[in-house]
Amino acid sequence: MSEVKIDPSWQRHLVNEFEKPYFKDLSAFVHDEYKHAIVFPPPKNIFRAFDLCPFDDVEVVILGQDPYHGPDQANGLCFAVGEGIRLPPSLQNIFKEIESDLGTPLVHKTGDLERWARQGVLLLNATLTVRAHSAGSHQGKGWEEFTDAAIKALSDEREHLVFILWGNYAKTKGAHIDRTKHLVLESAHPSPFSAYSGFFGCKHFSKANEYLTKHGKKAIDWV
């Protein structure tokens, strides 16, 4: 669909998706939702994860589930929030694990996470839009199929990427990643309800960097 405004590199890899019936239905649904309800993130940020991280620049993929559904939170990057917005509990725990894992205090403590995206970290939610104050309201409308296609394209056409899957939903989402040529890191979700069940101490940030440097790539500056 010509009106899909997404980074050209992703457009080339996902162009077939835009012509499929599910995506046309999804597009009509999302357009209608933005007309008649408060929906997050703002339309310009729906594909922000892709726009900040072109296909050939991706080195790490972190999978989330849904955008935040509170005002000014969702900004198109999973787990991230708009500049100046209080950090949600899951992101607070992610930052704690980074400091523990890397043994250094964070330099950047804002929640936008654009700094990661510009280094090649694709911060991808399974569902790219949500109705205000209604978690999961845009699930099952087609976004999952679209983001599955993005993950499959990366798995099939790239090598030596790191896929970080936190929680059972993300693990299911990563079922089709080719683990013979990519590193897949799995743990509990960073939510306060599960962080102490295997997220804290997972050391995914150092493990990702070790893998990248082993394959001649640049480590991510997580702090």
Side-chain angles (χ1 to χ4, degrees):
M1 294 172 68
S2 59
E3 69 266 25
V4 177
K5 293 181 172 62
I6 193 171
D7 176 84
S9 67
W10 283 102
Q11 179 89 29
R12 287 192 296 274
H13 286 89
L14 297 174
V15 64
N16 290 338
E17 299 302 309
F18 301 138
E19 295 304 326
K20 291 180 179 178
Y22 88 85
F23 195 88
K24 294 184 177 183
D25 290 343
L26 169 64
S27 183
F29 167 77
V30 170
H31 277 113
D32 191 63
E33 282 284 278
Y34 274 100
K35 277 184 187 173
H36 298 104
I38 298 172
V39 176
F40 301 124
K44 66 177 182 178
N45 285 341
I46 292 174
F47 296 108
R48 187 170 179 236
F50 299 96
D51 295 336
L52 289 176
C53 199
F55 187 87
D56 292 322
D57 293 347
V58 176
E59 301 295 354
V60 177
V61 181
I62 297 179
L63 289 179
Q65 186 166 355
D66 238 18
Y68 296 118
H69 53 84
D72 302 318
Q73 288 185 304
N75 68 358
L77 307 178
C78 73
F79 294 104
V81 288
E83 199 70 32
I85 302 301
R86 186 181 177 196
L87 302 184
S90 290
L91 186 54
Q92 291 181 39
N93 287 339
I94 290 168
F95 284 177
K96 286 178 187 175
E97 175 60 20
I98 290 173
E99 291 186 325
S100 172
D101 180 11
L102 303 182
T104 183
L106 282 178
V107 176
H108 305 283
K109 297 189 177 182
T110 59
D112 183 88
L113 304 187
E114 181 176 329
R115 63 188 182 277
W116 294 358
R118 292 196 179 279
Q119 294 179 76
V121 182
L122 181 67
L123 294 157
L124 183 63
N125 275 315
T127 304
L128 300 187
T129 55
V130 67
R131 189 182 278 221
H133 311 298
S134 184
S137 51
H138 286 188
Q139 291 178 7
K141 303 296 184 182
W143 278 131
E144 294 91 343
E145 189 171 344
F146 176 75
T147 49
D148 277 347
I151 294 165
K152 187 175 189 306
L154 287 168
S155 177
D156 291 351
E157 298 175 43
R158 297 286 311 281
E159 289 188 343
H160 307 313
L161 303 184
V162 181
F163 291 86
I164 295 178
L165 314 179
W166 294 326
N168 291 332
Y169 183 87
K171 291 174 189 176
T172 302
K173 188 87 173 158
H176 303 297
I177 297 166
D178 184 345
R179 297 175 188 229
T180 66
K181 63 174 183 172
H182 302 291
L183 176 65
V184 178
L185 299 172
E186 299 181 343
S187 78
H189 195 276
S191 157
F193 299 106
S194 54
Y196 287 96
S197 301
F199 174 75
F200 286 134
C202 69
K203 298 188 179 297
H204 283 177
F205 304 97
S206 61
K207 288 176 181 177
N209 280 349
E210 286 166 11
Y211 182 84
L212 293 174
T213 54
K214 175 184 171 185
H215 291 283
K217 300 183 178 190
K218 190 174 180 181
I220 303 298
D221 179 5
W222 298 108
V223 299

